[in-house]
Every structure is written in structure tokens, then in C-alpha cells.
Amino acid sequence: MVIIAFPLLNAYTFTEDELTGYKLMDGAIGGLLGVIGWPLAPFLACYGVFQVLFKDGPPEPNPIDPEIQDAARKSIGLNCEQFYNVAVVGSSGTGKSSVVNGIMGYKDSFKDAAATGESETTKKPRAYRHPDLRSMVIWDMPGAGTMNHPVSTYFEDKFLCAFDSLVIVTAER
């Protein structure tokens, strides 16, 4: 027996003999599949796209000044040629490490999760390779606006121009 549900297309296909043989019952089962599948369909579709996009490394690295790229590699270990690099940035204590853990699919208490705390838990940039999207590296960056990481030099000091994307986390204390 084959049951296929495509809620986005509002299509429910059963075997040629139908599922139960009664149109009303088959319609009810198809509707139930739609109710269950409909809320999940966009997420599953997006996840499938991400898996295709991040299957391989970047086709060509970002056009970054070679001096900056070399300095980022030496200072924090940033690899722009083989990986998509996403930095999670924001002020100290806004939940950046928790966002990193959420993107990775980890609970804060998981052994490989980013350490979380109330203030300045992340002292230096730390890379986390995504468990499913192997060409993506999520970077847990220190909080901006502290004595160790002043706002005025944060962008340059953390080589943010070398990242493929920035996730900016904000919150009020």
C-alpha cells in the first residue's frame, strides 16, 4: 500500500484501489495527513534546500583582501575556501551561544554544545561544524561592547568582513 501526501499541492494519492475502498474514509485519511503534514511541509522543504546548497563547499571564496584572509586564518582559524562561515554576533549576554546551539540542534547541556552563561562566557571566537550541513561552520563570537571586545574595533578585530553571513542577536537586559 502506498500513501503519498503533498499538502502544499493539496494532493493525496493512495493505491489504485484506494486505501479503504470508501471515498469518504479515504478523504478523511487524506485530510488527516494534510493536517499533520501541512505545518511541517515548509520546514522540510527548506531543510532539503539547505542540504543541497551546503553539500559542497563554496564554489569560490568571498572576494576578501588576501592579507585579511591570512590574518583571520592565523588568528582564529577561519577557512574561507572550504567552508561557508556564519558568525553569530551581538552584545555580551544576548544569547549568542544559545542561538549557536539551536542552529546546531543541540541543547545547552549537550557535551559538544557551545558554553552558555550570563556574561562574557565566550572569550574568543569558536568554530562549530554543523552536524548535518558539513560544509557549514557556525562561529560563536565573543560579545561586543565589553572591555576585552570594544565596539569601536569589534568588526575589524573579529574579521567579520571575511564571513559569508552574520547572524546578529539582540536582546534587552
Side-chain angles (χ1 to χ4, degrees), residues 4-172:
I4 301 173
F6 292 105
L8 290 174
L9 303 176
N10 202 19
Y12 309 97
T13 305
F14 302 100
T15 59
E16 293 171 357
D17 299 327
E18 298 298 327
L19 184 62
T20 64
Y22 298 101
K23 294 277 185 200
L24 183 61
M25 184 61 76
D26 290 340
I29 292 171
L32 181 61
L33 289 173
V35 169
I36 294 169
W38 180 257
L40 299 176
F43 298 107
L44 294 175
C46 288
Y47 185 71
V49 168
F50 285 140
Q51 285 182 317
V52 170
L53 286 176
F54 295 109
K55 180 180 174 195
D56 300 319
E60 59 184 65
N62 284 338
I64 304 164
D65 181 358
E67 289 179 16
I68 294 173
Q69 193 170 358
D70 190 46
R73 182 184 304 276
K74 288 177 182 174
S75 178
I76 63 174
L78 187 68
N79 184 340
C80 298
E81 290 86 24
Q82 293 180 325
F83 299 103
Y84 292 100
N85 294 284
V86 178
V88 179
V89 299
S91 297
S92 180
T94 56
K96 294 176 301 301
S97 298
S98 293
V99 170
V100 168
N101 291 337
I103 293 171
M104 302 290 287
Y106 298 156
K107 291 185 178 182
D108 287 348
S109 59
F110 186 68
K111 67 177 178 72
D112 293 331
T116 58
E118 295 213 11
S119 67
E120 271 198 275
T121 304
T122 305
K123 304 283 187 213
K124 61 181 184 172
R126 176 139 188 240
Y128 295 89
R129 194 155 173 203
H130 196 280
D132 296 322
L133 309 172
R134 300 304 291 163
S135 65
M136 179 187 287
V137 177
I138 310 296
W139 288 81
D140 187 12
M141 304 300 280
T146 65
M147 291 187 57
N148 295 326
H149 309 286
V151 171
S152 59
T153 60
Y154 189 81
F155 192 86
E156 292 81 16
D157 292 346
K158 304 301 177 259
F159 307 100
L160 297 184
C161 65
F163 286 87
D164 295 294
S165 181
L166 302 177
V167 175
I168 302 171
V169 181
T170 63
E172 291 186 24

